[in-house]
Amino acid sequence: MRVTHVITRLIVGGAQENTIASVLGLRQRYGLDARLISGPTTGREGSLAALVSGTPDLLTIIPDLVRNIHPWKDLLAMKRLTKIFRSDRPEIVHTHSGKAGVVGRLAAARAGVPLIVHTIHGPSFGAFQGMLRNTAFRSAERFAARVTTHFIVVAEAMKLQYLAAGIGRPEHYTKIFSGFDLEPFLSSNNDASLRAELGIAPDDIVIGKIARLFKLKGTMLSLPSRPRWFAVVHKSSFYSLAMGMASQI
């Protein structure tokens, strides 16, 4: 069985890590041929392409598969994807992210792919962008939903948001939390020297967050609750390790 995943970019991010892990995991299963198609990886986040680019016949880059709305490039990307799907004849096409999700599903339908799956790692429309982009993506998502066999969501909130927008029906959605390697956490220890370096007492409770410093990540949502937390748990500390643009918070 051949499974082809399609994603817009291979930047350093949760959706990309999840997609790469899925592809590499599937390739270890007997009788499964998993491949990955992506647009060019642009942005300051960094790239994960090196994790898959060294494996023969795994990664295909389509230059016209870009993140921003670009009718001409979107059409060219759809044509290229359709040609690849007709040639490779995958039994399943699994798309990820907004642009690749719409263009990839429509191309898969044109090529006659039997099963078309889309994972919603994050909504392609919402308060984080303007009315024009929201209207375009909401309409495109409704249209692409007509050819989608099934949706996977990584959180219940995304399912509810898409259903509220008239995209699919409840039975079309399955929630699967994003997996990640637990070993670094299970094998970690209480580093007394690091605590001393950061000025943390040995018995302090430490709460940490590692995320990109963007409004969409909700980094600031926890701030109002912190005074209440400190009122109850006196010996505690919050730490955030982040990158991004503070102007977007």
Side-chain angles (χ1 to χ4, degrees), residues 51-68:
L51 297 176
V52 289
S53 59
T55 304
D57 300 322
L58 193 160
L59 177 64
T60 299
I61 301 295
I62 297 182
D64 291 314
L65 183 56
V66 295
R67 185 186 185 197
N68 293 329

Side-chain angles (χ1 to χ4, degrees), residues 170-234:
E171 61 269 24
H172 295 156
Y173 290 82
T174 297
K175 180 174 62 180
I176 303 176
F177 295 124
S178 290
F180 58 93
D181 185 9
L182 294 175
E183 180 56 32
F185 302 94
L186 297 175
S187 61
S188 63
N189 53 49
N190 194 348
D191 191 332
S193 61
L194 180 60
R195 280 179 172 266
E197 180 183 338
L198 296 174
I200 304 172
D203 57 345
D204 275 0
I205 296 175
V206 180
I207 300 172
K209 176 173 182 175
I210 302 174
R212 285 195 293 146
L213 199 57
F214 283 82
K215 183 177 181 181
L216 192 57
K217 297 298 181 183
T219 303
M220 304 300 287
L221 296 178
S222 66
L223 292 183
S225 66
R226 294 189 184 187
R228 297 194 296 273
W229 170 269
F230 287 129
V232 177
V233 184
H234 301 291

Side-chain angles (χ1 to χ4, degrees), residues 10-12 20 24 36 41 46-56 58-59 61:
L10 288 175
I11 60 170
V12 176
I20 289 174
L24 295 179
L36 177 60
T41 299
S47 174
L48 295 176
L51 297 176
V52 289
S53 59
T55 304
L58 193 160
L59 177 64
I61 301 295

Side-chain angles (χ1 to χ4, degrees), residues 61-200:
I61 301 295
I62 297 182
D64 291 314
L65 183 56
V66 295
R67 185 186 185 197
N68 293 329
I69 297 174
H70 193 299
W72 177 242
K73 287 189 175 183
D74 297 342
L75 179 60
L76 292 177
M78 185 183 298
K79 287 184 176 181
R80 177 74 188 283
L81 284 167
T82 303
K83 184 177 180 180
I84 291 174
F85 295 151
R86 284 174 175 165
S87 174
D88 291 351
R89 301 179 63 83
E91 281 81 7
I92 301 173
V93 164
H94 188 158
T95 62
H96 308 261
S97 63
K99 176 62 78 65
V102 172
V103 175
R105 280 177 284 167
L106 296 179
R110 290 182 65 198
V113 175
L115 297 173
I116 302 173
V117 179
H118 178 61
T119 291
I120 305 169
H121 299 275
S124 60
F125 52 88
F128 57 89
Q129 60 188 9
M131 184 179 66
L132 182 60
R133 285 179 60 87
N134 273 333
T135 300
F137 269 105
R138 194 178 287 109
S139 299
E141 289 281 6
R142 289 196 192 104
F143 188 73
R146 300 176 185 176
V147 300
T148 306
T149 308
H150 204 73
F151 291 94
I152 295 173
V153 294
V154 299
E156 188 72 13
M158 296 174 194
K159 167 187 170 182
L160 297 177
Q161 182 174 344
Y162 271 59
L163 288 174
I167 301 168
R169 297 193 299 272
E171 61 269 24
H172 295 156
Y173 290 82
T174 297
K175 180 174 62 180
I176 303 176
F177 295 124
S178 290
F180 58 93
D181 185 9
L182 294 175
E183 180 56 32
F185 302 94
L186 297 175
S187 61
S188 63
N189 53 49
N190 194 348
D191 191 332
S193 61
L194 180 60
R195 280 179 172 266
E197 180 183 338
L198 296 174
I200 304 172

